[in-house]
Amino acid sequence: MKKYKETYIIGIDHGYGNMKTANCCFQTDVTVYDKEPIFKDNLLVWNNKYYLIGAEHKEFSADKMLDEDYYVLTLAAIARELNIAKIYSADVLIAAGLPLTWVSEQREEFKRYLLKNETVDFNFKGKDYHICIVGACADVYPQGFAAIVNHLSDFLGVNMLCDIGNGTMNIMFVNDKKPNPNRCFTEKFGTHQCMLQIRENLMRVHHAEPPEEMITRVLRFGTTDIDGNYLKTITNTAKEYVEGIFRRLREHGYDSKLMKLYIVGGGGCMIRNFAEYDEGRITVNDDICATAKGYERMLEMKLIKSGGAL
């Protein structure tokens, strides 16, 4: 979260697997109730409804505006950031983003979605919040690129940027510190595809369906305390998925001898744990909040340049 004059800039990365802000990360899921539920951890109360936040993962959808889930998740993200500073009433500017090739088509609709209420009063985790969404949402930025905006000086020569999320994989060329808008690609090949294949292989080979949290731990850290045969099935499937990533990168022009590769997003741990690569040619950014931080920086620079005009 950044402060600009009397407003707070809050960058929000609306992921399909996790919601990220500059300082927080929580699972993208909303369960709505008409009455107060028994379990109240991460409970958000708004508009006479009760929303449990982050219990599981939301089903993938290319259109994030189909229901109110991402709006409610946005409120939770704002509350988490404000709570760190013990602020419960604030004027807020939202800095958000969309997959690279979807920005042009969905930007205006996503803005309207995020700005449908100028003021919002809600309760999250037992604390009351009064939020004013100031003016217009400054902009909706391209995912992936935002994660490197603070490190553009490193992107000399020819570079491929790959943002591996839960739902999508976004690819962009950045040459001599400048993004190439004509060479951007979005594929539905996020880590959720790997998770689905692992579940299928575990059922086929071992007739078992371990909890998602156990599989996620293997993907995140490369191992966990389970039977060796189960672990082998998971790791072999993960390696096949990573091979699929590099195959798709090559289809879009990746050549390790001619360019450097920069990996961002939560799926970066898959490259680190299950791929053999030259660290001099491939960089993995482990900061899962880098994109949200980039959104804030891009909005801050825009406000400074324009003198505060949106």
Side-chain angles (χ1 to χ4, degrees), residues 289-306:
C289 297
T291 294
K293 293 175 182 175
Y295 293 156
E296 291 184 357
R297 179 56 179 158
M298 293 171 81
L299 175 49
E300 181 183 43
M301 290 189 296
K302 179 176 181 178
L303 290 170
I304 292 173
K305 186 176 180 179
S306 67

Side-chain angles (χ1 to χ4, degrees), residues 222-240:
T223 188
T224 194
D225 186 16
I226 58 172
D227 177 81
N229 290 324
Y230 286 79
L231 182 62
K232 183 177 180 180
T233 298
I234 296 172
T235 55
N236 285 346
T237 307
K239 289 177 181 178
E240 291 174 1

Side-chain angles (χ1 to χ4, degrees), residues 52-182:
L52 277 181
I53 307 296
E56 298 179 0
H57 288 299
K58 183 175 171 61
E59 182 179 353
F60 175 85
S61 172
D63 188 346
K64 296 180 179 179
M65 291 77 77
L66 290 176
D67 53 35
E68 285 193 329
D69 285 3
Y70 274 103
Y71 186 80
V72 172
L73 290 164
T74 298
L75 297 182
I78 292 172
R80 284 178 178 272
E81 279 292 304
L82 292 176
N83 183 60
I84 293 173
K86 305 303 180 185
I87 297 170
Y88 304 102
S89 179
D91 293 340
V92 171
L93 280 166
I94 300 173
L98 288 167
L100 289 173
T101 59
W102 300 354
V103 174
S104 297
E105 180 181 347
Q106 297 186 3
R107 172 187 280 132
E108 295 305 319
E109 185 180 359
F110 197 38
K111 284 185 184 181
R112 290 191 295 271
Y113 178 81
L114 294 174
L115 295 167
K116 58 185 174 181
N117 297 299
E118 183 177 348
T119 61
V120 190
D121 294 285
F122 63 97
N123 182 286
F124 183 56
K125 300 184 71 170
K127 294 182 174 66
D128 291 323
Y129 292 85
H130 175 74
I131 306 300
C132 293
I133 308 300
V134 178
C137 183
D139 212 342
V140 175
Y141 301 106
Q143 289 178 1
F145 178 71
I148 66 168
V149 72
N150 293 321
H151 308 284
L152 276 179
S153 59
D154 298 333
F155 285 75
L156 298 173
V158 180
N159 304 270
M160 176 179 273
L161 170 67
C162 179
D163 177 11
I164 308 171
N166 184 265
T168 60
M169 181 174 74
N170 293 278
I171 303 164
M172 170 187 279
F173 279 85
V174 182
N175 301 335
D176 288 328
K177 300 184 286 186
K178 296 181 180 179
N180 186 340
N182 297 319

Side-chain angles (χ1 to χ4, degrees), residues 19-33:
M19 294 286 292
K20 283 86 65 179
T21 63
N23 298 289
C24 303
C25 176
F26 58 96
Q27 287 186 308
T28 299
D29 181 64
V30 177
T31 305
V32 60
Y33 300 89

